[in-house]
Amino acid sequence: MAEAHQAVAFQFTVTPEGVDFRLSREALKHIYLSGINSWKKRLIRIKNGILRGVYPGSPTSWLFVVMTTLGSSYCNVDISMGLVCFIQRWLPEGCGPYRSPQTRTLLSMAIFSTGVWMTGILFVRQTLKLLLSYHGWLFEMHGQTSHFTRVWAMCVRLLSGQRPMLYSFQTSLPKLPVPSVSATIHRYLESVQHLLDDEEYYRMEMLAKEFQEKTAPRLQKYLVLKSWWAANYVSDWWEEYVYLRGRTPLMVNSNYYVMDLVLVKNTDVQAARLGNIVHAMIMYRRKLDREEIKPVMALGIVPMCSYQMERMFNTTRIPGKDTDVLQHLTDSRHVAVYHKGRFFKLWLYEGSRLLKPRDLETQFQRILDDPSPPQPGEERLAALTAAGRVEWAQVRQAFFGSGKNKAALDAIERAAFFVALDEESHRYDPEDEASLSLYGKALLHGSCYNRWFDKSFTLIAFKNGQLGLNTEHAWADAPIIGHLWEFVLGTDSFDLGYSETGHCLGKPNPVLAPPQRLQWDIPEQCQAVIESSYQVAKALADDVELYCFQFLPFGKGLIKKCRTSPDAFVQIALQLAYFRDRGKFCLTYEASMTRMFREGRTETVRSCTCESTAFVQAMVQGRHLKADLRDLFRKAAEKHQNACRLAMTGAGIDRHLFCLYVVSKFLGVSSPFLAEVLSEPWRLSTSQTAQFQIRMFDPNKYPNHLGAGGGFGPVANDGYGVSYMIAGENTIFFHVSSKFSSSETNAQRFGNHIRQALLDIADLFQVPKADS
């Protein structure tokens, strides 16, 4: 086979004279170039580590301090106040490099200057950390910025430096504060009072009081101690206990999907689209490795934590019996590809050179044209990653620990990411409402065996060139993968381009070694487990109802005219829709980020508030004047915005209670209050998809270059999962999920209620009529 010959660096034969080596110059050349490339990366990491370590200082600023010290000495001015002489006295004497008095003086000045420079850097960092701990700007009304906040913003800009790298601000970010137990319990009781009757609320109030007085003080001490020691008192426990220790299938329950641009089409050629996209992804990875990506900045001045981006590529979730682990490699030079039941290993480099888009297109086309059938057990192998984690861990240990299977599995798990070449075609057709839902279902679970759900993300390419992502959740949250996706789609659309026939630009290289087919030896016993896993995954996938739609009557343009935040507007509409759908209110989860703190991830905003329920009840009764309804709505929106701000600034409810619960388990302390709080179901789980993080798309210039966001499965069996993206001035995309097995939910019915709720609330802000 051709790939077998390409993989061997040298051959040998045994002759009467001894062993005859026949070296392959081409193979050795690639090995040499690969080594050179590896050393270049190491040197870049070392350089970036130094530059990041002294930021906002720089070699230029160090040189300026040295020259200032030297200049003052020539002017007979001792700016060191005797420190240079003190350092000089402590330098060792002898015949070495310190023999000359002039050399000793220069060295003493260099040491003093470096000390002053480092002290200045530490002072600036600590000052910046103190400034970034101020969050009053978040609570100020739009257009009513205080003088204090203006001065604060100027100071932050002044101390932030000119050209920060991706991780430059990590050590300057403040730590997530631990809220007081009393404040958390007060906010918790406030968040559930309207969901409970008087007897239930009194009972919960008594449990909370007992917890606050007897159990909480001891637990809180341990949590405060952790907050002093660890970078973030929540994130590592959240990753381990919420994600990695989960034993249920990742598919539908944890992984989420992201859609392509849905209103424009770049090419119908599947391999060509992949050629551009994969090339753009590796360009992004190169920028990531070199820290050339700018940190995300709120308001353009407040840096967001970037630590989640470290594991975007070369990362796989490895199953375990009790807990999974995230395996992250510093580099990977290939991707794993699935097509028609076969697995391939596709190299991304030729020597040290990244393959061009046209070369990648050729490689993907070779896989598409490969007529070989799947090996026994190979076709549905990935179903193991779609079912229970314990079963997958046991099978992995029993059948994939040696030989062909280990080598092939390593090729998948050590890949930069996973690529799935689908035989189906999916695309959003505005004339066919069901098309977007079918597209979302294909991305969420596919056939249950054509995605590798353990990889950090699977890039999915449909036959018509439409793309999407299925993303594992443990390593990072959705805005992180959204950052990559915006870069990739922008690069594909505006930088790389296609020929008139839809192929990648450039000429193909016909001498490239073809992708390597992975070899398996899967016994019948293992095949039986694969089939069992597939049946579990298929039942889970078949139970998911997904309803995706584009809301066209208005977007954030009209919402802003209502003088409220678009997110609050949609969240209150969801409360109205849910009440109309179920005739009651429920505990509602909205994800909010805490990335203004070091290693921050998410916090929960409890969107079902006393104020929102009051508005919804008034709307449903139909007896109130529009002016009164507007007042109730504004109170609900203000309450929601304040809850979001509290969550973003570390004063949320749920992460604090979660960590107290973890400490209680470590100490063997039983808490009825925490047990009940942590077991409450989120029957409405919501999330807004981030967009325009890197400004590659000008919505005014390219109004149709819009993605539809993404979605996820329902959290509760009798609940809804709702993801939405306020995509522009005039449109909102919604992804609503539920389970067919629940007689109480229906995704399409709920979606229609969302439409009507949005229209009804917008109608309140039209020109008042005589009766209003």
Side-chain angles (χ1 to χ4, degrees):
M1 296 174 65
E3 64 269 23
H5 289 294
Q6 291 291 333
V8 177
F10 63 89
Q11 302 171 351
F12 69 90
T13 57
V14 178
T15 67
E17 290 78 20
V19 179
D20 176 29
F21 288 90
R22 289 179 290 169
L23 299 177
S24 168
R25 291 185 179 180
E26 187 65 21
L28 290 176
K29 173 187 173 184
H30 287 298
I31 291 172
Y32 168 76
L33 292 174
S34 177
I36 293 296
N37 189 53
S38 178
W39 276 104
K40 283 182 180 178
K41 287 185 176 180
R42 291 181 188 178
L43 292 174
I44 289 171
R45 288 193 187 104
I46 292 171
K47 182 197 77 172
N48 287 343
I50 294 171
L51 293 177
R52 186 195 329 125
V54 300
Y55 192 84
S58 65
T60 304
S61 63
W62 175 81
L63 187 61
F64 174 79
V65 175
V66 172
M67 295 304 294
T68 300
T69 305
L70 287 173
S72 66
S73 69
Y74 284 113
C75 297
N76 295 319
V77 177
D78 185 10
I79 62 173
S80 73
M81 292 183 291
L83 283 176
V84 170
C85 294
F86 177 80
I87 294 170
Q88 189 173 354
R89 285 198 301 270
W90 279 91
L91 288 177
E93 298 180 0
C95 58
Y98 315 112
R99 179 177 51 188
S100 167
Q102 292 85 354
T103 303
R104 291 166 60 82
T105 301
L106 289 173
L107 184 58
S108 301
M109 289 182 178
I111 293 173
F112 167 77
S113 300
T114 303
V116 170
W117 180 64
M118 291 299 298
T119 302
I121 290 170
L122 292 173
F123 175 77
V124 169
R125 281 187 177 179
Q126 291 303 312
T127 305
L128 185 58
K129 181 181 288 189
L130 185 65
L131 289 170
L132 294 177
S133 298
Y134 167 72
H135 300 118
W137 60 274
L138 266 173
F139 295 86
E140 294 179 349
M141 297 292 291
H142 182 69
Q144 299 180 12
T145 306
S146 66
H147 292 296
F148 182 86
T149 298
R150 289 195 181 101
V151 173
W152 165 83
M154 290 174 58
C155 292
V156 171
R157 285 195 181 98
L158 182 65
L159 298 179
S160 293
Q162 296 298 317
R163 287 181 289 181
M165 296 187 296
L166 180 60
Y167 304 118
S168 290
F169 292 112
Q170 291 301 101
T171 55
S172 298
L173 293 174
K175 290 187 177 184
L176 184 68
V178 181
S180 69
V181 173
S182 59
T184 296
I185 289 179
H186 172 75
R187 283 193 288 267
Y188 168 77
L189 291 174
E190 184 184 21
S191 74
V192 298
Q193 184 173 9
H194 52 283
L195 299 174
L196 305 173
D197 60 33
D198 291 342
E199 184 178 341
E200 291 171 333
Y201 179 73
Y202 177 76
R203 174 179 166 275
M204 183 58 72
E205 198 173 29
M206 290 300 101
L207 287 175
K209 184 178 180 182
E210 181 186 16
F211 171 74
Q212 181 176 345
E213 293 176 353
K214 296 181 179 180
T215 311
R218 182 184 176 198
L219 305 182
Q220 181 79 346
K221 288 177 183 176
Y222 282 95
L223 212 52
V224 171
L225 180 62
K226 187 192 176 189
S227 73
W228 293 344
W229 177 254
N232 188 293
Y233 82 92
V234 175
S235 294
D236 57 340
W237 285 352
W238 187 255
E239 180 179 297
E240 180 178 356
Y241 296 110
V242 172
Y243 292 117
L244 298 180
R245 291 209 180 189
R247 302 294 83 195
T248 56
L250 300 184
M251 186 192 76
V252 174
N253 294 319
S254 180
N255 285 27
Y256 57 93
Y257 66 85
V258 184
M259 287 184 170
D260 197 356
L261 300 175
V262 292
L263 302 180
V264 296
K265 180 177 66 174
N266 291 323
T267 180
D268 285 326
V269 182
Q270 185 179 19
R273 189 80 197 285
L274 272 174
N276 269 1
I277 291 294
V278 171
H279 182 83
M281 281 185 167
I282 303 305
M283 286 173 59
Y284 183 92
R285 186 179 70 169
R286 180 180 291 172
K287 287 178 174 290
L288 199 63
D289 290 342
R290 297 177 179 179
E291 300 185 36
E292 294 173 352
I293 297 171
K294 294 181 180 179
V296 176
M297 312 281 277
L299 294 182
I301 58 173
V302 180
M304 300 288 104
C305 180
S306 302
Y307 99 101
Q308 293 181 60
M309 302 177 81
E310 294 175 356
R311 299 180 293 185
M312 188 178 297
F313 295 94
N314 328 322
T315 299
T316 301
R317 180 167 170 165
I318 306 296
K321 185 177 180 181
D322 299 315
T323 183
D324 295 352
V325 296
L326 288 172
Q327 172 186 281
H328 173 68
L329 307 176
T330 56
D331 194 20
S332 178
R333 298 175 62 80
H334 71 278
V335 292
V337 184
Y338 179 91
H339 176 244
K340 281 189 174 181
R342 296 91 42 83
F343 291 87
F344 296 83
K345 182 178 183 179
L346 190 155
W347 292 101
L348 299 168
Y349 294 84
E350 184 185 22
S352 61
R353 183 183 67 86
L354 172 63
L355 293 183
K356 295 179 181 178
R358 192 69 178 88
D359 295 334
L360 288 167
E361 178 188 348
T362 299
Q363 298 294 67
F364 283 115
Q365 192 61 51
R366 285 173 170 174
I367 292 174
L368 292 169
D369 295 339
D370 189 319
S372 60
Q375 299 161 76
E378 182 182 18
E379 183 177 12
R380 294 181 176 176
L381 175 64
L384 292 170
T385 69
R389 305 305 294 170
V390 174
E391 294 79 7
W392 173 207
Q394 292 170 342
V395 170
R396 189 177 187 276
Q397 184 178 14
F399 300 106
F400 297 88
S402 61
K404 289 182 180 179
N405 292 345
K406 185 180 188 303
L409 184 62
D410 280 349
I412 295 172
E413 293 182 339
R414 300 176 72 85
F417 51 90
F418 193 81
V419 180
L421 302 175
D422 280 17
E423 286 297 293
E424 298 177 339
S425 290
H426 286 285
R427 174 171 283 133
Y428 174 44
D429 180 2
E431 303 298 322
D432 179 12
E433 184 181 72
S435 62
L436 194 63
S437 302
L438 293 172
Y439 178 21
K441 282 274 284 183
L443 294 175
L444 181 63
H445 54 68
S447 64
C448 302
Y449 55 79
N450 58 352
R451 317 276 182 258
W452 198 269
F453 294 99
D454 286 356
K455 288 300 291 183
S456 54
F457 64 89
T458 294
L459 173 62
I460 301 157
F462 297 106
K463 197 169 186 177
N464 58 353
Q466 196 75 5
L467 301 176
L469 299 175
N470 183 287
T471 307
E472 201 277 319
H473 210 325
W475 63 274
D477 302 307
I480 305 302
I481 201 72
H483 195 282
L484 162 72
W485 201 228
E486 280 188 37
F487 174 88
V488 167
L489 294 180
T491 303
D492 173 49
S493 299
F494 306 126
D495 296 341
L496 298 178
Y498 298 89
S499 67
E500 293 181 357
T501 56
H503 292 279
C504 295
L505 300 177
K507 295 182 179 180
N509 181 1
V511 300
L512 280 176
Q516 178 185 346
R517 177 76 187 277
L518 300 184
Q519 300 300 313
W520 307 91
D521 182 13
I522 303 175
E524 292 185 2
Q525 185 180 355
C526 182
Q527 292 180 39
V529 181
I530 292 172
E531 181 60 27
S532 174
S533 296
Y534 167 67
Q535 295 301 329
V536 170
K538 187 176 185 301
L540 180 60
D542 290 345
D543 194 27
V544 175
E545 180 186 10
L546 189 66
Y547 179 55
C548 307
F549 64 94
Q550 182 181 13
F551 181 78
L552 286 168
F554 59 85
K556 65 181 178 183
L558 183 142
I559 294 174
K560 287 180 178 178
K561 292 179 181 178
C562 302
R563 291 182 296 169
T564 187
S565 84
D567 182 64
F569 190 99
V570 173
Q571 284 291 330
I572 296 171
L574 291 175
Q575 293 301 314
L576 177 58
Y578 188 88
F579 189 84
R580 287 172 172 173
D581 186 80
R582 299 289 299 276
K584 58 184 178 181
F585 297 104
C586 73
L587 203 59
T588 304
Y589 183 111
E590 182 190 3
S592 174
M593 64 95 184
T594 57
R595 289 175 59 202
M596 288 190 293
F597 300 97
R598 190 171 183 180
E599 297 189 14
R601 289 195 62 161
T602 60
E603 176 58 274
T604 304
V605 176
R606 293 177 169 235
S607 300
C608 184
T609 62
C610 182
E611 289 78 4
S612 67
T613 57
F615 166 75
V616 169
Q617 287 169 337
M619 282 287 289
V620 172
Q621 289 168 3
R623 298 194 301 266
H624 293 71
L625 299 177
K626 281 190 175 180
D628 295 333
L629 291 172
R630 284 196 294 270
D631 288 341
L632 288 170
F633 175 84
R634 288 198 172 103
K635 288 179 181 177
E638 184 178 342
K639 178 71 173 185
H640 181 268
Q641 286 178 264
N642 189 62
C644 289
R645 291 162 182 154
L646 289 171
M648 292 173 65
T649 55
I653 301 168
D654 292 275
R655 298 302 179 269
H656 185 203
L657 293 176
F658 161 76
C659 288
L660 290 171
Y661 180 75
V662 173
V663 174
S664 74
K665 288 298 183 181
F666 286 150
L667 299 179
V669 175
S670 176
S671 170
F673 171 73
L674 288 177
E676 190 153 334
V677 170
L678 271 294
S679 64
E680 291 171 340
W682 300 98
R683 290 192 171 89
L684 182 55
S685 182
T686 71
S687 179
Q688 181 180 181
T689 303
Q691 59 169 335
F692 303 136
Q693 295 186 73
I694 51 179
R695 304 292 178 184
M696 289 193 71
F697 297 93
D698 184 344
N700 297 319
K701 190 175 181 181
Y702 301 101
N704 288 330
H705 281 71
L706 294 175
F712 52 88
V715 174
N717 290 331
D718 59 346
Y720 292 112
V722 180
S723 177
Y724 54 95
M725 187 172 80
I726 305 170
E729 297 295 314
N730 303 303
T731 189
I732 308 174
F733 285 99
F734 285 91
H735 305 254
V736 184
S737 64
S738 65
K739 291 196 174 183
F740 287 113
S741 57
S742 172
S743 60
E744 299 179 355
T745 56
N746 182 294
Q748 184 164 354
R749 182 185 72 206
F750 187 49
N752 291 333
H753 282 309
I754 293 172
R755 275 198 186 95
Q756 192 59 49
L758 290 166
L759 292 171
D760 290 345
I761 294 175
D763 183 60
L764 298 177
F765 293 89
Q766 301 302 314
V767 177
K769 297 179 182 179
D771 63 343
S772 62

